[in-house]
Amino acid sequence: AAKLQEEVSHIRQLLKAADMEFTIETSQEMNDIPLLVENVLSMCLKEAVTNVVKHSQATFCKVAIQQLPNGWQIVVEDNGRGIGQDTASLGGHGLKGMRERLEFVNGSLKVESKAGTEICIRVPNPVQ
Ligand code: ATP
Ligand code: MG
């Protein structure tokens, strides 16, 4: 999963440059990801973390990239100001673009606002 690894080092740079505390967890086994899924996951990871840096005013960001029994999941959490309830009405292209690309791979995007914002991206494994 070279592309995803590359994106992980990119977001590490981004978060460092923003002077934010962060943790990035990745499963040991991130093998056999179809290229299309890997591309979509990489794009979503980049956009979610860019949004944290641009919009959240957070001091902490937690990223978890996991291989699930039946797919893949990325969770990006921050402790910032939170996101509006109706994310569909928010102006930008980022969240919309994530949703559109995730549709191609039967994935889903969940956005929650609690103490900050939590973005959960899931893509099922088409082989299972
Ligand atoms: P673009 O992604 O097109 O450059 P954008 O980042 O403003 O523009 P989206 O990525 O779609 O657009 O995000 C929509 C809006 O949701 C943002 O403008 C911001 O108000 C809010 N938002 C997104 N992520 C966060 C976050 N982590 N914390 C707080 N607000 C957020
Ligand atoms: Mg954005």
Side-chain angles (χ1 to χ4, degrees):
K3 169 104 198 219
L4 197 53
Q5 286 315 315
E6 209 174 282
E7 201 48 62
V8 168
S9 34
H10 179 233
I11 61 162
R12 191 172 278 127
Q13 304 300 316
L14 271 179
L15 290 163
K16 262 190 204 156
D19 253 325
M20 211 176 274
E21 277 184 67
F22 62 93
T23 60
I24 302 176
E25 274 173 47
T26 53
S27 302
Q28 298 291 62
E29 293 293 317
M30 286 297 276
N31 302 315
D32 306 320
I33 310 184
L35 195 57
L36 178 61
V37 173
E38 190 177 347
N39 285 339
V40 171
L41 288 175
S42 302
M43 176 270 167
C44 289
L45 178 62
K46 178 185 190 166
E47 177 57 28
V49 173
T50 302
N51 277 349
V52 171
V53 169
K54 275 208 308 197
H55 305 298
S56 73
Q57 296 162 9
T59 55
F60 181 72
C61 178
K62 179 175 164 185
V63 178
I65 302 168
Q66 286 166 293
Q67 178 115 46
L68 304 175
N70 57 356
W72 300 275
Q73 172 174 284
I74 297 180
V75 179
V76 178
E77 264 180 85
D78 69 60
N79 68 347
R81 66 177 169 85
I83 194 168
Q85 290 283 49
D86 183 10
T87 54
S89 73
L90 296 171
H93 298 289
L95 291 172
K96 202 167 158 242
M98 279 200 248
R99 286 211 168 84
E100 282 168 5
R101 284 176 175 80
L102 282 163
E103 268 179 36
F104 281 117
V105 291
N106 293 308
S108 63
L109 174 69
K110 230 176 55 193
V111 181
E112 272 185 67
S113 197
K114 355 179 192 175
T117 302
E118 182 183 300
I119 303 272
C120 180
I121 295 145
R122 269 193 194 186
V123 179
N125 188 340
V127 172
Q128 283 168 350

